[in-house]
Structure formats: C-alpha cells, structure tokens
Amino acid sequence: VVVYTQSSLVEQTTPSFLEINDTDSSVSSIKFIDRDLDEAELGGNITWLPPEDEAQVTLYNVYLSDDGIENRSQIEYGIVVGTHVAKISPES
C-alpha cells in the first residue's frame, strides 16, 4: 500500500508505504482416534501436518465443530509453531 499526501500546491513525491503479506497457511491430514470408550464423550490426541510454509503462522488454535463453521468449541489455543498435536481430555 502506498499513500501520497497532496495539498493545493503539490503532491508528495516520496510516498509512505506498508508492505502487505496475504499468505494462506492451512494444515492437512488432520487425525483423531477417540480413546474415551464412553458414548457421547471424547478423549485423545488430534494431530495434523503443518503447512508447507509456517513462516507466517504464529500459533495454532483447535476447535471441535459439528458443522465446521459456527457451532464450535475451543479445545486448545495458543499452540506454538512446531507442535502438531492437541489433547482432548478424557470424558470431554
């Protein structure tokens, strides 16, 4: 983004600028094996493969969802880059 100032006399010749990085980073191969044997309860590890380029990833947040969009519950947040597992406590 480049911004020039202008007055009634002149337009600025050297603009101010800001570099924008619009990088998409998605995980893949999400896996979960339920270790909680009780019906309607979950427990176990969620694992995933990181994006090819983690340079712009700062943290991972993991949610459970029944529709993938709105109805979700946060499982873990602030998982550091380099960690590719989240734990669901038994009887969740």
Side-chain angles (χ1 to χ4, degrees):
V1 175
V2 179
V3 178
Y4 291 85
T5 59
Q6 182 176 344
S7 71
S8 59
L9 302 174
V10 69
E11 182 178 278
Q12 176 185 1
T13 58
T14 306
S16 293
F17 67 91
L18 171 67
E19 182 178 349
I20 296 175
N21 184 332
D22 188 18
T23 303
D24 180 306
S25 297
S26 297
V27 302
S28 61
S29 299
I30 300 171
K31 295 181 182 171
F32 172 70
I33 298 174
D34 189 6
R35 302 287 184 196
D36 189 315
L37 301 178
D38 296 331
E39 187 175 336
E41 293 183 355
L42 301 173
N45 291 337
I46 300 169
T47 60
W48 60 89
L49 292 178
E52 288 184 27
D53 181 6
E54 282 186 308
Q56 299 299 318
V57 178
T58 55
L59 297 168
Y60 291 103
N61 296 322
V62 179
Y63 300 86
L64 283 179
S65 176
D66 62 0
D67 67 2
I69 301 170
E70 294 180 9
N71 298 322
R72 64 184 187 177
S73 299
Q74 193 164 37
I75 297 299
E76 279 199 46
Y77 61 94
I79 299 171
V80 297
V81 174
T83 302
H84 306 118
V85 62
K87 296 177 189 221
I88 298 178
S89 299
E91 301 181 5
S92 293

